Amino acid sequence: MDTGTLAVPGAELYYEVRGSGPVLLLINGGEGDAAMYAPLAHQLADGYTVITYDPRGNSRSRLTGPFGEQRVEEHARDAHLLLRALSREPAYLFGTSYGGMVGMEVLAAHPEQVRGLVSHEPLLVELLPDAARRHAAFQEVYDIFRRDGARPALRRLNAELGDVGLPPELTADLPAPVAEMLARVAGNLAFCLEYELRSFVRYVPDLDALRDGPFTVANGVETRTTVGYATSVLLAERLGEEIADFPGGHVGFLTHPAEFAKTLHEVLDR
């Protein structure tokens, strides 16, 4: 595995590169960093040049400018610049949750860079008929965070989104590298609640770009009651496309990495 950093406007991105073959960029959702995708990247490295990275403001990707509200468009610019720096040809993209939305914006703004995009349970709240109520709930999450701290706010957020957190089997008796990764991710929670959540969930994708581009929306087969699952269904209906089913739930790439990698390869191969 090779590691490096890339200076982008307002931040310095930490990234990792594994394997050989067509380039595949894995884009994290909220709180995540490159190590969240390590098990999946390991499974895919024999067929792809897999790029993972810490999103700006998270883990090892420090902000070099002032802290402030984050935007999907800004994170998509980061992904675009990272691909431009590391690849001379179009890349495959996979993103989960926020990451799926970032991938959509890359496809809309830089279609020449995208060989294929799989968006797994994107949190497209604006597609929901009760979007206004949902936004009020996310504001409540923020208010709890400011008043009581990150953990009570996370409990309220999970109650709103459905069970999208790490399963208990991934948080007990952990080897040191995994424990270190989870400690970093826990440290990202405050940044997510303060600067990402309320703005990211207002993102509206360019549906024409998704219809015209090499795009697939995906869900976890064990996820049926979360907001991300519901928005994936609505997006597929808007586009007139079928949903690709992936193993596990919202973090199936962590709980079922081998099966998840097989499914992702099959979808990208199509």
Side-chain angles (χ1 to χ4, degrees), residues 44-188:
L44 292 163
D46 61 345
Y48 300 90
T49 299
V50 185
I51 303 171
T52 57
Y53 68 104
D54 300 351
R56 64 167 55 218
N58 289 271
S59 296
R60 297 152 293 192
S61 288
R62 66 185 186 91
L63 295 182
T64 57
F67 281 61
E69 188 175 66
Q70 300 293 295
R71 299 283 182 180
V72 168
E73 293 81 1
E74 186 175 38
H75 284 242
R77 182 184 61 184
D78 289 346
H80 152 68
L81 293 174
L82 189 60
L83 285 174
R84 191 176 71 178
L86 299 178
S87 175
R88 296 182 179 179
E89 57 188 47
Y92 293 114
L93 277 64
F94 172 85
T96 190
S97 191
Y98 292 168
M101 297 146 63
V102 171
M104 293 178 194
E105 186 61 23
V106 176
L107 177 58
H110 302 282
E112 74 285 353
Q113 282 190 305
V114 182
R115 188 172 179 177
L117 166 63
V118 178
S119 181
H120 182 257
E121 301 192 3
L123 198 59
L124 297 172
V125 173
E126 288 291 331
L127 297 184
L128 296 171
D130 62 345
R133 186 197 69 77
R134 298 286 185 178
H135 289 307
F138 296 133
Q139 180 62 43
E140 180 186 351
V141 170
Y142 176 77
D143 293 340
I144 293 171
F145 164 66
R146 297 291 292 181
R147 183 181 66 245
D148 302 323
R151 288 301 161 187
L154 181 60
R155 288 193 292 270
R156 177 65 184 91
L157 179 61
N158 282 335
E160 185 65 30
L161 295 180
D163 186 11
V164 297
L166 297 175
E169 61 268 22
L170 288 181
T171 59
D173 300 324
L174 296 170
V178 180
E180 291 169 4
M181 178 268 288
L182 292 179
R184 288 197 307 269
V185 170
N188 295 336

Side-chain angles (χ1 to χ4, degrees), residues 11-58:
E12 191 174 75
L13 303 179
Y14 169 86
Y15 65 84
E16 299 174 353
V17 183
R18 297 172 174 84
S20 61
V23 173
L24 169 58
L25 178 67
L26 304 180
I27 310 173
N28 274 292
E31 308 165 57
D33 73 16
M36 291 281 283
Y37 278 132
L40 178 63
H42 177 74
Q43 294 289 332
L44 292 163
D46 61 345
Y48 300 90
T49 299
V50 185
I51 303 171
T52 57
Y53 68 104
D54 300 351
R56 64 167 55 218
N58 289 271

Side-chain angles (χ1 to χ4, degrees), residues 238-252:
R238 293 275 188 95
L239 298 176
E241 300 287 346
E242 293 185 359
I243 296 176
D245 287 329
F246 275 69
H250 192 66
V251 291

